[in-house]
Amino acid sequence: MYRPAYPNPRLHPPTPLQFLTIHRWVYVPDKIQTDALVIAIHSCQSSAQKYFANSKIPWHQGSDRKGYITVWPSSTTECWDVSSKASLSHDGGGDSNAIANMIKHALTQYNIDPQKVYVTGGSSGAMMSNVLAATYPDLITAVSLYSGVPAGCFVSSSGGSAQWNNTCSAGQSTATPQKWGDVVRAMYPGYNGTRPRMQIWHGSVDGTLSPRNYDETIKQWTNVLGASTAPVSSRPDTPEKNYRMDDFGASVEGIWAVGVGHSVPSHLDASEAWFGL
């Protein structure tokens, strides 16, 4: 963990990514052009600083280009807690609660429009993106997640946090759309408000989180958002060759990356378009 007294030179002013707490960094572009906020959540064995510096994660470049603020949470463990009851419950504590509080703070600190809060992440960060969409749908407008699993798929039978789940990672945790949707609804019982629009990316040869998790995640969110599991339209070679973009109505979009492994590169333009940035 970097300490504020010894900042990473890339993150030191004039680069306006500044240390706020041990869990969060924020990047404020030189020229703010919109009252939107993007939360960028790192993968396992990473950090906010490493994710920010990763050339495959160009969100700070988008921030410079379009003038939106980005917040970069940093986990204190190897992976995000997407398995404990605390993190899988609205206001239950855990990592999801911590990130939700970051969002709430940013709304007032930077005068963010509550209807323009977007979440993205890869691998463990994608899992947390799904968990946040389930536990704090009232705070999030849209999600663009890369190489994840359904919300609640990594649930721990022992109640532990940040635990690896071999059954889920291998694509052996399968259920009907209704059951996957019920998993989401149980994370915030009684919530009947608007839920985030979901954009889901996965590589066809992912050796870390089975490609089958793509299908299960599509099942989950089409059920939650009242869409069919069959796409209403499909665009080959979109947003690039060997990718296929499937639309399941206005609220769910899936991108299947043929021949791509676990690290599907962030496609800034396509994710920003989904967010409306």
Side-chain angles (χ1 to χ4, degrees), residues 56-126:
K56 294 182 179 180
I57 314 298
W59 284 98
H60 65 285
Q61 298 169 18
S63 179
D64 286 334
R65 184 178 65 184
K66 294 192 174 180
Y68 52 80
I69 291 171
T70 50
V71 167
W72 305 73
S74 201
S75 175
T76 58
T77 56
E78 267 198 2
C79 300
W80 293 101
D81 173 13
V82 293
S83 54
S84 74
K85 181 175 175 58
S87 205
L88 297 177
S89 303
H90 179 76
D91 286 344
D95 288 351
S96 64
N97 208 159
I99 296 175
N101 286 338
M102 293 175 195
I103 294 173
K104 292 175 184 177
H105 180 267
L107 288 174
T108 56
Q109 182 72 20
Y110 302 105
N111 296 315
I112 301 298
D113 182 343
Q115 303 302 314
K116 297 179 182 178
V117 177
Y118 311 109
V119 175
T120 187
S123 191
S124 182

Side-chain angles (χ1 to χ4, degrees), residues 217-240:
T217 306
I218 293 293
K219 285 184 195 176
Q220 182 172 66
W221 289 107
T222 51
N223 179 264
V224 171
L225 292 163
S228 170
T229 54
V232 296
S233 66
S234 185
R235 287 167 283 172
D237 294 329
T238 305
E240 64 173 279

Side-chain angles (χ1 to χ4, degrees), residues 19-224:
F19 190 82
L20 296 182
T21 73
I22 67 166
H23 290 290
R24 176 183 59 177
W25 295 70
V26 62
Y27 184 81
V28 180
D30 290 337
K31 184 178 180 182
I32 297 176
Q33 302 177 58
T34 176
D35 51 358
L37 176 72
V38 173
I39 313 297
I41 309 176
H42 68 73
S43 56
C44 286
Q45 299 175 330
S46 187
S47 67
Q49 296 98 320
K50 290 178 182 178
Y51 207 53
F52 180 87
N54 189 332
S55 62
K56 294 182 179 180
I57 314 298
W59 284 98
H60 65 285
Q61 298 169 18
S63 179
D64 286 334
R65 184 178 65 184
K66 294 192 174 180
Y68 52 80
I69 291 171
T70 50
V71 167
W72 305 73
S74 201
S75 175
T76 58
T77 56
E78 267 198 2
C79 300
W80 293 101
D81 173 13
V82 293
S83 54
S84 74
K85 181 175 175 58
S87 205
L88 297 177
S89 303
H90 179 76
D91 286 344
D95 288 351
S96 64
N97 208 159
I99 296 175
N101 286 338
M102 293 175 195
I103 294 173
K104 292 175 184 177
H105 180 267
L107 288 174
T108 56
Q109 182 72 20
Y110 302 105
N111 296 315
I112 301 298
D113 182 343
Q115 303 302 314
K116 297 179 182 178
V117 177
Y118 311 109
V119 175
T120 187
S123 191
S124 182
M127 297 185 206
M128 177 52 73
S129 298
N130 261 336
V131 168
L132 284 168
T135 51
Y136 297 94
D138 51 326
L139 292 179
I140 300 167
T141 308
V143 173
S144 179
L145 61 95
Y146 291 77
S147 309
V149 303
C153 189
F154 255 49
V155 64
S156 170
S157 58
S158 67
S161 64
Q163 294 188 348
W164 192 258
N165 186 312
N166 287 323
T167 302
C168 178
S169 64
Q172 296 170 357
S173 295
T174 62
T176 64
Q178 180 67 38
K179 287 184 178 179
W180 275 128
D182 288 344
V183 170
V184 167
R185 288 181 282 270
M187 292 188 197
Y188 192 171
Y191 180 76
N192 58 7
T194 302
R195 294 187 182 269
R197 293 178 290 105
M198 304 297 295
Q199 185 186 62
I200 299 147
W201 302 70
H202 215 108
S204 70
V205 293
D206 190 332
T208 302
L209 297 174
S210 168
R212 190 162 188 175
N213 281 301
Y214 171 80
D215 297 322
E216 300 305 304
T217 306
I218 293 293
K219 285 184 195 176
Q220 182 172 66
W221 289 107
T222 51
N223 179 264
V224 171

